[in-house]
Amino acid sequence: MTVFKGLGEFNDEREQRKMRLVDNLYAYLWQGSDNNCNTYVFAAALNQGRHLVIDPGHIATPFYREPGLDRLLKEMEGDGIAEAAIGLVILTHAHPDHCEAAAAIREKNSALVALHEADEATYQMLGGKVDLYLEEGQLVLGEDKPIKLSVYHSPGHSPGHVTLYWPDHKVLIAGDVIFYRSTGRVDLPGGNAGALKQSIQRLSQLDIEYLLCGHPYGHPGIIKGSEAVQENFEFVKRNFLF
Ligand SMILES: [Zn+2]
Ligand SMILES: [Zn+2]
């Protein structure tokens, strides 16, 4: 069992932020002072070797104006993941700290943006345009070496929040549903504590080896090892919603 208890377990500053997690899945963990989200990337997962970016975050953070997008793109480039080859952006939900950069990536690289329909109105208010709707069910990326993801509609933090499960490697990309020892807020517009509780309950039934959270709240945001993941679900159930 491995738990990323703190930043001390990473070797250097660069390693704190980026990592190739498993197969072609990369994690870019936010380490700035201001709020921004963690970004996850499936490199060359789409046809023609194009990339899938999940939750690109802020262009610049709201208070300190830290460069979110530039930093992300530079780090991706360091891993050989070119911005120009981004083909799809998936948004777990339409909060600015997850979705702000999506419109810029879409415009510059002709990438498509995918979101659950129930978050579309919020996204449109922020100036965003949706190309594809994400629905509960299977999502297959690419044809040569297809990656099969399960999309779960996981409302509560927002009405159209989705989480993505990759059964081949037991990875759950959880967005703002659950964090290390905490949960997503339910006091924002469209939030619903009962729905969040159900979403967490449902996701806790999955066999998860890597729980990838949408933020590094007091923790890098990746909980590794099925035992540690279950422990975290139990902690949250005991102390928060249940
Ligand atoms: Zn959020
Ligand atoms: Zn968030």
Side-chain angles (χ1 to χ4, degrees), residues 190-231:
N192 182 317
L196 186 70
K197 176 178 165 175
Q198 274 181 15
S199 293
I200 291 172
Q201 186 75 56
R202 183 180 182 212
L203 296 174
S204 72
Q205 308 302 313
L206 294 171
D207 184 7
I208 302 168
E209 196 62 37
Y210 300 89
L211 179 65
L212 311 188
C213 305
H215 290 278
Y217 291 151
H219 179 273
I222 293 178
I223 302 170
K224 198 174 165 234
S226 59
E227 222 177 290
V229 169
Q230 269 318 311
E231 240 172 59

Side-chain angles (χ1 to χ4, degrees), residues 36-37 39 53-60 68-69 72-73 83 86-115 123 126-131:
N36 199 5
C37 72
T39 300
V53 175
I54 299 161
D55 286 353
H58 273 302
I59 293 173
L69 181 58
L72 172 68
L73 294 174
E83 179 193 359
I86 298 173
L88 178 64
V89 177
I90 284 182
L91 302 173
T92 59
H93 63 297
H95 287 160
D97 54 343
H98 295 250
C99 72
E100 186 188 55
I105 293 172
R106 179 182 185 269
E107 205 163 295
K108 212 169 147 203
N109 311 292
S110 316
L112 303 177
V113 172
L115 178 75
Y123 189 52
L126 297 166
K129 247 186 162 171
V130 181
D131 300 292

Side-chain angles (χ1 to χ4, degrees), residues 6-63:
L7 301 179
E9 293 187 18
F10 294 89
N11 294 329
D12 55 41
E13 212 240 321
R14 191 170 149 72
E15 287 308 309
Q16 288 177 14
R17 250 273 308 161
K18 55 143 246 166
M19 68 175 97
R20 183 164 163 228
L21 202 64
V22 56
D23 208 334
N24 59 341
L25 175 60
Y26 290 74
Y28 298 92
L29 305 176
W30 177 247
Q31 293 289 313
S33 317
D34 216 343
N35 181 53
N36 199 5
C37 72
N38 290 334
T39 300
Y40 300 101
V41 175
F42 282 92
L46 308 172
N47 290 351
Q48 281 98 45
R50 299 194 79 175
H51 316 300
L52 161 63
V53 175
I54 299 161
D55 286 353
H58 273 302
I59 293 173
T61 63
F63 300 107

